[in-house]
Amino acid sequence: MSLELDKRILEIADGIKTMRIRGAGKIARAAAEALKIAAQTYKGPREPVEFRRYMDRVAELLISTRPTAVSLPNAVYYVMYILEKTEGGVDELVDAVVRRADEFIESSLQAVKRIGEIGARRIKSGATVLTHCHSSVAVSVIKTAYEMGKIEKVYSTETRPFYQGRITTRQLLEAGVPVIQIPDSSVRYIMHEIDQVVVGADTIASNGAVVNKVGTSQIALAAHEARVRVFVAAETYKFSPMTVIGELVQIEFRPETEIVPRDWIDKHPNVKVLNPAFDVTPPEYIDAIITEEGVIPPQAAILILLEKFGWALEKIKHGVIHRVEFEESLHE
Ligand code: RUB
């Protein structure tokens, strides 16, 4: 018989699925928080094996909510790994999960701040910057650069169909940054005014390809054509170790009703509507990736993976990796 989960856990899972909680970093932190709540509200048998089984169930539920951002499974595995490392009774395991979740959340927030500082140094004085979607990390870079007096103005795309660009615009306005909201389709027209593009990432593959909000690759293409530099701001837990062995990143397709209203679909039953939420920008169109560890060329993504996942990569190569072992090297 499976235990009933605390309402807050289900709310977080549903929040991620329905995008009330969104953005790769926030999703990761929310998942860590849900694991913490799960541990704190465990009411099952006082057997460690039962507690582990229950936590596995919560972990699987969280990972199943959205497929593209690797930050989500990376965060979950990071927290869950402590269950492999901790001995003792259920009380000890609960404490360990709570501490581990707090540690992830804290280090994730620190990383966002640090990338803001490192990234701001890469913004040139008097820059006009273009950003896409809403990335907390990209906003952190832009805000910090603005505080340093470097930003003249920012173009923020609407980011159809979900309009996350409006969140970016609002946050930048609140910080006093001059910001202009533009439709996604005007990016190439506006590109001659842009000095630098700064975007976030959901997942970075081992070859340096960046998976981010759909439209990012078109922006990168237009920037490339206009010789405008493209920077990706991303914490190291957005790098995907499984891509080292050729696993592809799954692109999420969201409901058609985000694109057109239900009654329109009903009136045009033969029209197929597609709503891919992310796309892949090849490394050739990216100038640098700004992480909390420093700035790297996209081609050096493998070095981040080797540094953070080195031990696990050996096992991945031999096909004997399982997700918890994986996590060990991620954070050592
Ligand atoms: C959000 C998106 C963001 C990245 C990075 O997509 O693509 O650019 O997740 O965000 P969605 P952050 O709105 O579909 O989740 O820097 O905040 O982690």
Side-chain angles (χ1 to χ4, degrees):
M1 194 189 73
S2 62
L3 293 169
E4 205 177 301
L5 299 181
D6 188 276
K7 210 171 91 222
R8 289 169 294 167
I9 301 167
L10 301 175
E11 272 168 16
I12 289 175
D14 185 65
I16 296 174
K17 210 178 176 118
T18 57
M19 288 174 62
R20 281 196 311 280
I21 304 168
R22 46 145 303 282
K26 276 210 181 75
I27 293 172
R29 290 188 290 276
E33 181 68 28
L35 290 170
K36 174 177 161 177
I37 295 169
Q40 287 170 326
T41 56
Y42 175 68
K43 293 192 183 66
R46 307 308 288 172
E47 300 296 327
V49 63
E50 294 291 342
F51 178 71
R52 288 191 168 94
R53 198 171 295 146
Y54 156 86
M55 288 301 294
D56 270 344
R57 209 181 112 217
V58 178
E60 269 161 37
L61 168 74
L62 292 166
I63 288 173
S64 72
T65 51
R66 284 190 85 184
T68 302
V70 75
S71 55
L72 174 62
N74 278 350
V76 169
Y77 303 154
Y78 179 76
V79 176
M80 293 296 286
Y81 172 65
I82 204 68
L83 290 176
E84 299 290 303
K85 283 290 204 191
T86 308
E87 288 176 6
V90 170
D91 288 344
E92 282 78 20
L93 296 180
V94 168
D95 282 353
V97 168
V98 170
R99 272 201 306 277
R100 186 83 163 169
D102 283 341
E103 185 192 311
F104 177 83
I105 294 167
E106 179 54 30
S107 68
S108 160
L109 292 170
Q110 285 301 326
V112 174
K113 194 164 172 284
R114 182 87 190 110
I115 293 170
E117 291 158 5
I118 297 173
R121 288 189 221 129
R122 303 261 67 80
I123 301 292
K124 63 178 214 186
S125 265
T128 294
V129 170
L130 173 77
T131 189
H132 182 52
C133 193
H134 172 253
S135 154
S136 313
V137 193
V139 167
S140 172
V141 171
I142 294 168
K143 276 209 262 190
T144 313
Y146 178 72
E147 282 157 19
M148 291 164 76
K150 289 179 153 188
I151 302 263
E152 188 177 309
K153 62 177 180 296
V154 175
Y155 281 100
S156 158
T157 58
E158 289 182 299
T159 318
R160 264 190 57 80
F162 217 78
Y163 298 106
Q164 292 96 325
R166 292 177 184 171
I167 307 172
T168 303
T169 300
R170 199 190 61 233
Q171 289 186 353
L172 292 178
L173 278 177
E174 279 166 10
V177 183
V179 54
I180 302 165
Q181 181 87 79
I182 53 166
D184 305 328
S185 44
S186 66
V187 160
R188 186 164 177 260
Y189 173 75
I190 228 81
M191 194 53 84
H192 68 280
E193 281 192 45
I194 308 297
D195 296 300
Q196 285 161 292
V197 172
V198 181
V199 291
D202 286 84
T203 294
I204 298 175
S206 58
N207 68 348
V210 169
V211 182
N212 191 46
K213 180 54 56 194
V214 71
T216 304
S217 67
Q218 270 179 193
I219 293 174
L221 202 56
H224 187 74
E225 178 193 46
R227 302 171 68 88
V228 169
R229 280 178 302 159
V230 175
F231 292 92
V232 173
E235 309 90 305
T236 50
Y237 57 81
K238 291 175 181 165
F239 286 68
S240 168
M242 292 309 280
T243 57
V244 174
I245 52 160
E247 286 289 322
L248 296 177
V249 178
Q250 191 188 334
I251 300 293
E252 176 183 13
F253 282 79
R254 295 198 54 85
E256 54 191 14
T257 46
E258 286 180 3
I259 306 271
V260 281
R262 167 61 51 205
D263 60 345
W264 190 91
I265 297 168
D266 292 343
K267 269 191 226 143
H268 304 87
N270 294 328
V271 178
K272 190 167 165 52
V273 180
L274 263 195
N275 184 11
F278 300 97
D279 66 18
V280 185
T281 303
E284 306 84 81
Y285 297 100
I286 297 160
D287 290 276
I289 301 175
I290 304 155
T291 79
E292 72 276 21
E293 304 274 336
V295 182
I296 59 160
Q299 291 76 10
I302 187 69
L303 299 180
I304 292 279
L305 283 159
L306 288 173
E307 193 187 313
K308 298 280 170 185
F309 295 80
W311 170 89
L313 291 175
E314 267 314 295
K315 294 206 159 205
I316 289 175
K317 274 194 273 177
H318 295 101
V320 291
I321 193 74
H322 75 78
R323 63 181 201 194
V324 172
E325 285 172 333
F326 211 169
E327 189 46 31
E328 179 168 38
S329 64
L330 172 59
H331 290 279
E332 269 176 357

